[in-house]
Amino acid sequence: MNRAGKTDAPDGTALAALCMAGAQVSVNVGAALGKTLFVSVGPEGVAALRTSIAAILLLAIARPWRAMPARRHMGWLVVYGLTLGSMNLLIYAAFARIPIGVAVAIEICGPLGLVLATSRSLRDFLWLGLAIGGLLLLAPWPGAGGRLDPAGIGFALAAALAWALYILFGKRAAQVKGTTAVALGMTIACCVTLPFGLSAAGGRLLDPSVLGLGIGVALLSSALPYVLEMKALGHLSARVFGVLTSAAPAVAALVGFLILGERLTLAQWLAIALMIAASAGGSLTGRRT
């Protein structure tokens, strides 16, 4: 209560946390929905649909032709977009071969690696050890129960590297203000995904049922999470945001089980828990920059 006898307005933190939870669920429901399309158009086709539809939506919103970026920024926008396209293509290739929760747990090594690379604390070797332990549990050892497809693990690791590069190049591309950088970056990303999508699926990409689900994937995986995360960022510190984002593998695993029936072994759940702990720890103790 304040002096006037009225209840103080909430600071928005609880709402921000709900927005983050909604964003996590939305991203992974979109991933699961996209995986159901693999039979029709393959992971390449889904990546092409997601980036193409998202690019159209972003171009309509940003209308970058009204004020194109300076030439000095275009190089960074190009590599940013190519990395974004590669990241989409690689993670969908991983989804096609291993459970979504496992793929996301491996992929999160990308941003975690960036945090640890800038660390100056011996304590952060603990988070590195947890991440390595998680990866070792997921490794396709001969004779291991629930052995994962080595190619799927490889694609997820490549997606992790692409995610780290996406962050680095995105910092440069962010010199272009507003949504222009994202709109142009997503458009450039189509240069990576569309050739593979057309080669794998051809005209099936324009099938009404496929296109309808593709729109759903683009909205759930790109548009809605972006809006929710932007809402959350206004009320959360970068560290809290990073900790909440670290829960992504667990959310992905649960969504994969509920929608796709993907069952993980005890070792795989333990690996996911280690990766979440490593990511959350890195977010809490890493350098503020």
Side-chain angles (χ1 to χ4, degrees):
M1 290 284 187
N2 58 24
R3 293 182 179 179
K6 296 180 180 180
T7 303
D8 292 327
D11 62 3
T13 302
L15 178 60
L18 286 175
C19 286
M20 281 298 300
Q24 294 287 352
V25 172
S26 180
V27 165
N28 290 293
V29 169
L33 187 63
K35 193 163 181 174
T36 64
L37 280 173
F38 287 177
V39 175
S40 301
V41 296
E44 303 90 350
V46 175
L49 283 172
R50 175 183 173 179
T51 53
S52 299
I53 294 169
I56 292 170
L57 292 173
L58 287 167
L59 287 173
I61 294 170
R63 290 179 284 179
W65 50 85
R66 296 182 301 174
M68 290 296 289
R71 184 174 297 178
R72 67 180 183 277
H73 294 145
M74 290 305 298
W76 290 114
L77 284 172
V78 168
V79 292
Y80 164 70
L82 294 177
T83 307
L84 175 59
S86 300
M87 184 172 65
N88 275 272
L89 203 59
L90 290 166
I91 195 59
Y92 278 116
F95 288 163
R97 294 165 174 83
I98 58 178
I100 290 175
V102 173
V104 173
I106 296 172
E107 189 192 25
I108 209 169
C109 289
L112 173 61
L114 282 183
V115 172
L116 296 180
T118 61
S119 172
R120 298 294 182 270
S121 171
L122 291 175
R123 172 185 52 189
D124 289 331
F125 281 98
L126 169 62
W127 315 130
L128 177 61
L130 290 178
I132 292 174
L135 288 175
L136 289 175
L137 284 173
L138 295 174
W141 304 109
R147 189 169 180 265
L148 297 169
D149 184 340
I153 295 175
F155 279 121
L157 286 171
L161 175 60
W163 192 356
L165 294 174
Y166 164 81
I167 293 171
L168 292 175
F169 296 145
K171 287 179 67 176
R172 295 286 188 172
Q175 295 172 6
V176 179
K177 303 300 182 183
T179 55
T180 297
V182 182
L184 291 177
M186 190 67 75
T187 304
I188 295 167
C190 295
C191 297
V192 177
T193 59
L194 270 177
F196 287 95
L198 291 172
S199 175
R204 294 195 302 277
L205 291 174
L206 298 178
D207 181 275
S209 60
V210 170
L211 197 56
L213 282 174
I215 293 172
V217 170
L219 291 174
L220 288 169
S221 298
S222 298
L224 182 57
Y226 177 81
V227 172
L228 291 173
E229 287 181 355
M230 289 303 101
K231 177 74 174 176
L233 277 171
H235 299 279
L236 298 175
S237 69
R239 289 185 173 180
V240 174
F241 185 88
V243 170
L244 292 175
T245 301
S246 301
V251 178
L254 289 173
V255 169
F257 170 71
L258 293 173
I259 296 180
L260 301 171
E262 295 179 341
R263 297 179 180 273
L264 305 183
T265 66
L266 181 60
Q268 289 166 358
W269 275 112
L270 178 57
I272 288 175
L274 290 176
M275 301 301 286
I276 291 172
S279 179
S283 295
L284 284 172
T285 63
R287 294 176 66 192
R288 289 185 182 275
T289 305

